Amino acid sequence: MGRKQTIMTVREFVDSATCYPGPTVRYRTEAVLRHQPPGIGMPRSITRYDKLLATFEELIAAISDVQEPMIAALCSSWESTKNGYEQAFRSGVTKSQIASGMEQGLRELPMLFHEIGGEHRARLLNVLHIAIAKNFPDFFKKDAALLASVVERNKIRNAREYYSVRHRIDELEGDESNIGERERLYKLVDQFES
């Protein structure tokens, strides 16, 4: 307790953060946030779980009016699914673990939508892509990079890579213009499963 603690006023703190370039308030605010002690108005980093939750929230809100039994079941189960996540958190499951399952569910949605009649399919896929692009833009980039590294390596090493390859195969099903890519991916899956 012998040390004297110095407490800065907000004004002193802002004035001390002017070492960053830029005369505008925007830059000054960024400088303040960089120097601000943790827990004092610091913006929380957005986790993968947060991005996925926002994606699903937007998707469910946008498709809730689709008159299709499978979509109605998906939308009606969403609230209980979120409650299940909360219970899992209380029992010690991490956001990262839940996010892994949510990512897999997000990857499987296009397969689910392909089973729905053509009348709604295009709209559902479009809404899904918009929700992902808005809330989790890195999702497509990460999957493409992961898939490219698996193909280049010519080997699937783990379950995440396996599901990424399976997802791409499912996307290519019925598309006769990509038979070569699909066959190459099937070989990778067969090697991994054996």
Side-chain angles (χ1 to χ4, degrees), residues 104 107-115 166-167 170:
Q104 185 55 37
R107 284 189 187 93
E108 292 175 2
L109 280 175
M111 293 179 286
L112 174 76
F113 293 164
H114 279 292
E115 295 177 19
R166 283 294 320 166
H167 173 67
D170 293 333

Side-chain angles (χ1 to χ4, degrees), residues 123-138:
R123 175 180 170 225
L124 292 170
L125 289 170
N126 187 41
V127 167
L128 174 64
H129 283 278
I130 289 170
I132 292 171
K134 178 180 174 187
N135 297 294
F136 196 2
D138 294 344

Side-chain angles (χ1 to χ4, degrees), residues 56-144:
F56 276 104
E57 288 283 353
E58 184 169 324
L59 174 67
I60 296 299
I63 66 173
S64 61
D65 64 331
V66 174
Q67 300 299 316
E68 189 68 41
M70 203 178 308
I71 298 303
L74 176 69
C75 292
S76 67
S77 69
W78 177 239
E79 286 303 317
S80 63
T81 300
K82 288 192 302 185
N83 290 336
Y85 295 158
E86 291 302 320
Q87 289 174 356
F89 294 146
R90 286 192 291 276
S91 67
V93 176
T94 66
K95 281 187 172 185
S96 178
Q97 291 168 324
I98 297 287
S100 294
M102 292 173 78
E103 266 189 7
Q104 185 55 37
L106 196 60
R107 284 189 187 93
E108 292 175 2
L109 280 175
M111 293 179 286
L112 174 76
F113 293 164
H114 279 292
E115 295 177 19
I116 295 173
E119 173 187 335
H120 298 295
R121 183 183 315 142
R123 175 180 170 225
L124 292 170
L125 289 170
N126 187 41
V127 167
L128 174 64
H129 283 278
I130 289 170
I132 292 171
K134 178 180 174 187
N135 297 294
F136 196 2
D138 294 344
F139 183 79
F140 295 122
K141 292 175 190 170
K142 286 180 182 179
D143 268 10

Side-chain angles (χ1 to χ4, degrees), residues 26-79:
R26 188 187 78 188
Y27 287 109
R28 183 172 282 198
T29 303
E30 289 172 4
V32 168
L33 289 177
R34 283 189 205 115
H35 280 97
Q36 198 165 14
I40 302 179
M42 189 64 126
R44 182 175 64 90
S45 64
I46 298 174
T47 65
R48 187 170 52 123
Y49 170 81
D50 296 328
K51 293 175 186 178
L52 288 161
L53 186 66
T55 300
F56 276 104
E57 288 283 353
E58 184 169 324
L59 174 67
I60 296 299
I63 66 173
S64 61
D65 64 331
V66 174
Q67 300 299 316
E68 189 68 41
M70 203 178 308
I71 298 303
L74 176 69
C75 292
S76 67
S77 69
W78 177 239
E79 286 303 317

